[in-house]
Amino acid sequence: MDVDHVVIFDTTLRDGEQSPGATLNTDEKLEIARQLERLRVDVIEAGFPASSPGDLDAVRRVAREVTGSSICGLARCVRSDIDAAWEAVRDAAKPRIHVFIATSDIHLEHKLRMTRQQVLERTRSMVAYARSLCSDIEFSPEDGTRSDPEFLYEVLGIAIAEGATTLNIPDTVGYTNPVEFAQLIRGIRQHTPGIEKAIISVHCHNDLGMATANSLAAVMEGARQIECTINGLGERAGNAALEEIVMALHTRRSFYGIETAIVTQELYPSSRMVSSFTGLSVQANKAIVGANAFAHEAGIHQDGILKNRLTYEIMDAHMVGLGENTLVLGKHSGRHAFADKLDQMGYHLDGEELNRAFARFKELADKKKTLDDRDLEAIVSDEIFQPDDVYRLVQIQVSAGDRAIPTATVTLESPDGALITDAAHGTGPVDAVYKAINRIVQVPNELIEFSVNAVTEGIDAVGEVTIRIQAELNGTNGLPVNAQTGRHTYLFSGHGASTDIIVASGRAYMSALNKLIAVRQASALVAE
Ligand code: KIV
Ligand code: ZN
């Protein structure tokens, strides 16, 4: 059987980061990019450099430090966007610029206010300009699936003539279905001038739950790049999930005749990292990486599995990196062994960061007999990958019980180094802690999500708390405005880990709150 290669293009750091509340800081982006490199994705779309100086800087850092994958920056068909994208990726070992312009009549009329002729001209000049800077150019006709196919062939032909080497067909609003999308890709292959010189790519959104199916239907018609994200993160209902695409191609290899370069054992660690950094938890029944994806509950199923796993399992959990919580370090393990283990897990810490993580490790090792990878990951993401402290949590003390009024005393270190202590009571100990913190920080926000999970089994497990808070801020950055208040609603996620879930909750709140305060400061936005 002939086996073809399909390029896996990961856009977790760009489209994925556009999920409400999924904002990542530069260190987190870099860590995710390193994980994507270990996963061996072919292309990492690291951001949209023209969108903000922070994004440009993050893409540049990824481009300089991650050499195993192509690094791509997104740009509208606008000269200044292309300049920013090139500035960000030019130092990469394999740089790519991805330019896009909308092609559907609905976008032309209401968003761009351009004629088809103008779009053709803009495509011609901007693809040519991008190609004058970079040899690897991807072009996307945004809202491709709602565009007139004849117009699409024309635009794509021009992009190829001007040097685009990958043509990406986005289902921007998640509107298509597998049969229709396959027809569109077939039409593009038959009618686009010069298409044999380019790779056809697809970029599917999941609004109707068909992103993975649509992407695979396109592969059957000759698409050889798939754009996707870890955990299916992305705008609205998200993008096609990388782990689903990869495992479908892998598990049904004899059907598709396609392989990817992905190291499947890195799928689960990648999912965990993205979920922990974005604060967006993975639903339990999510294919491949959900907590129940390999769990068997029904008696009949359990019986079958015991007799032969193939009765009810089409994939081996080890293939996706589950059940590999190897290491065991304990309280006698030294700094060197600890650093080595983190290195193997892909966390390269030194200096002050390593000291802080090691101190947390020792503290935890005193409470738990043995620690495995999951504990270490929780410590590192809690201790290291947090927003820069504006306020630092110094101490929490609570008193609670079925006959007590839950009360918390909290000490924070303020930005100028002063220690501030305050106390509050609440409906429960976590509520009391949050109220005490609010009395000190005084930044209005609303807690909209709170979840706590045990990282490992056992009564001494580390508890990981993930929260999301919402705040309304003034500003004009294009986000939807609340009609009554005239303000934008921002979401911030936070995570914290500890064997004490009240402490983990306090850490999670400080992490979200520090992100909110940083945005207020950076944009000089005023909340009240
Ligand atoms: O969904 C979309 O159309 C996009 C493009 C920028 C490729 O994300
Ligand atoms: Zn998209």
Side-chain angles (χ1 to χ4, degrees), residues 486-501:
R487 292 174 178 181
H488 304 292
T489 300
Y490 285 73
L491 292 175
F492 300 90
S493 62
H495 57 91
S498 168
T499 47
D500 180 327
I501 60 165

Side-chain angles (χ1 to χ4, degrees), residues 14-15 74 98 100 140 142-143 168 170-172 203 205 227:
R14 199 278 297 170
D15 219 332
L74 181 70
H98 175 188
F100 74 98
S140 290
E142 190 190 11
D143 206 14
N168 178 47
D171 182 26
T172 304
H203 174 111
H205 279 270
E227 304 203 352

Side-chain angles (χ1 to χ4, degrees), residues 267-308:
L267 288 171
Y268 187 68
S270 308
S271 163
R272 284 267 316 144
M273 180 184 280
V274 169
S275 154
S276 142
F277 289 177
T278 57
L280 296 177
S281 22
V282 174
Q283 81 197 53
N285 60 334
K286 164 84 180 62
I288 319 294
V289 292
N292 292 348
F294 292 89
H296 299 275
E297 187 66 22
I300 284 187
H301 290 208
Q302 289 176 351
D303 181 55
I305 286 283
L306 288 173
K307 288 176 176 145
N308 184 334

